Amino acid sequence: MKPLIFSTRNTNKIVEVSAKLGGWPLSSLNDIGCDADIEETSETLEGNARLKAHYIWDQYKQDVFADDTGLEISALNGEPGVRSARYAGQGRNADDNMNLVLQKLETVFDRRARFRTAICLILNGREYMFEGIVEGHIAREKRGMTGFGYDPIFIPEGNSRSFAQMSIEEKNYISHRGRALQAMKDHLRFVD
Ligand code: IMP
């Protein structure tokens, strides 16, 4: 198993990814002593995942992957999408972001939404992209305590519970990130 750097400091993501890649030797940005603030300036999830992965490859020349995720709500024309982290404004938190979504959808009947994750993997300088999508809908109120970000208001298709009411393993099995990681894992099996 090739050691990989996961270009993130988000401890929630590290926990999910470590559980999904079970036993794979992973290092986060903190583990490698990288304190750079890699700016996510792209207008697409794919572009931001590329920025986060290429920065590390350029600096360290080590195999690396990065993910970028967006919540895409049908009735809001795909918002918050690539702006998911700062939807309620710079310096606001996940609660503020969820409150804004709930407020915008207060009188909206169509609550369809999906999470989409783009992963950029760089192996020996070569780039590979993976995508994972989970369809679902936005709940009327927050539910559950696990997970992070928008998890308390997202109900995946075929479920009655939000992501924040599931274990990491349950979420990973059906989630956007879990699916993108599975695609990456399948690919890694075929390369040394
Ligand atoms: P990023 O991938 O770190 O740029 O995430 C963008 C935004 O989406 C942040 O506000 C995250 O909290 C949120 N987010 C990312 N992944 C998830 C997830 O798996 N569940 C809920 N929210 C997420």
Side-chain angles (χ1 to χ4, degrees), residues 13 40 68-69 84-85 115 148-151 171 176-177:
K13 284 188 182 180
E40 298 180 28
D68 204 55
T69 293
S84 293
F115 270 118
F148 67 104
Y150 296 89
D151 279 349
K171 181 183 170 190
H176 45 302
R177 186 169 301 98

Side-chain angles (χ1 to χ4, degrees), residues 4-7 27-35 56 60 62:
L4 290 173
I5 296 174
F6 180 23
S7 182
S27 314
S28 69
L29 293 185
N30 289 341
D31 294 331
I32 61 168
C34 173
D35 56 11
I56 296 303
Y60 296 85
Q62 289 185 47

